[in-house]
Amino acid sequence: MPWVIPMKLLVLDLDGTLWDHEDASRLVPPFEFRGDCLIDALGEKLCLFSGVREFIEWASRRFLLTIASWNVEERIRPILEGFGLWDYFLFPKIEGHPNKADMIMRTLNELISGGYPIETVVYVDDRDIHLDEIRMNIPEIEFIHMWVDVGSFEELKELLEDAR
């Protein structure tokens, strides 16, 4: 019988969690990227929070990474691609509805069907408004309330290291 190594899934929100904009779907392309920030066609700015790139790189070596975001993928994917982050995520769900429980469940099903034995699911979001519905569907999910439970991506890294 082959060895099966259980894997950990880290689910990340985007708006207010990875970057400082509360509704990146409102941004208008084309985007001009300047380091960890972008300027849209109307002059509106979005910036990654400090330490996001380093955190994603670190987390990608320890977790399977995915996204659950209430946004419009056609607007958000070019932003993630422009920052060089898109390829870190497996089966990302960026959809125009707030049902994050459904997004996470579908991602779990896709991963399990693809042969990924998921042992732990950790969900990071700056808001907890979707948490009750998520816990009804995935009772064992671990939730980290960004900017409440941790105040930086370095603290998030430390918290996740301590939990291992």
Side-chain angles (χ1 to χ4, degrees):
M1 183 171 147
W3 286 89
V4 176
I5 300 172
M7 299 179 179
K8 296 181 179 188
L9 177 64
L10 182 60
V11 181
L12 298 170
D13 173 54
L14 298 174
D15 292 338
T17 300
L18 291 191
W19 51 58
D20 64 358
H21 203 283
E22 290 301 318
D23 185 5
S25 291
R26 289 184 320 162
L27 297 174
V28 179
F31 304 121
E32 180 183 332
F33 290 88
R34 298 178 184 171
D36 285 345
C37 295
L38 70 78
I39 308 293
D40 80 348
L42 302 177
E44 195 164 345
K45 189 174 184 180
L46 173 149
C47 294
L48 296 174
F49 285 117
S50 178
V52 165
R53 291 178 188 276
E54 297 82 1
F55 173 79
I56 299 252
E57 178 64 32
W58 171 85
S60 71
R61 295 188 304 270
R62 291 157 179 82
F63 297 86
L64 298 175
L65 300 178
T66 195
I67 296 168
S69 179
W70 179 8
N71 263 305
V72 178
E73 183 174 341
E74 294 76 25
R75 292 282 177 108
I76 300 306
R77 183 174 179 159
I79 294 171
L80 289 164
E81 289 173 336
F83 284 130
L85 299 176
W86 177 259
D87 292 336
Y88 284 100
F89 300 102
L90 294 172
F91 305 112
K93 302 292 180 283
I94 303 169
E95 301 174 357
H97 62 81
N99 191 343
K100 292 193 178 188
D102 178 66
M103 292 181 210
I104 296 169
M105 284 300 300
R106 284 186 290 120
T107 298
L108 275 171
N109 289 335
E110 288 169 315
L111 287 167
I112 292 166
S113 295
Y116 295 95
I118 304 299
E119 172 188 62
T120 304
V121 180
V122 180
Y123 169 54
V124 180
D125 198 328
D126 65 305
R127 301 185 310 162
D128 62 0
I129 63 171
H130 308 288
L131 192 55
D132 288 341
E133 184 179 359
I134 292 168
R135 284 205 168 125
M136 283 179 17
N137 290 282
I138 313 164
E140 65 280 1
I141 197 165
E142 298 173 25
F143 175 66
I144 299 173
H145 198 168
M146 195 68 188
W147 317 119
V148 174
D149 297 332
V150 295
S152 68
F153 279 91
E154 185 60 36
E155 286 182 25
L156 179 57
K157 177 182 167 186
E158 291 170 11
L159 180 63
L160 290 169
E161 281 180 331
D162 291 345
R164 293 184 83 205

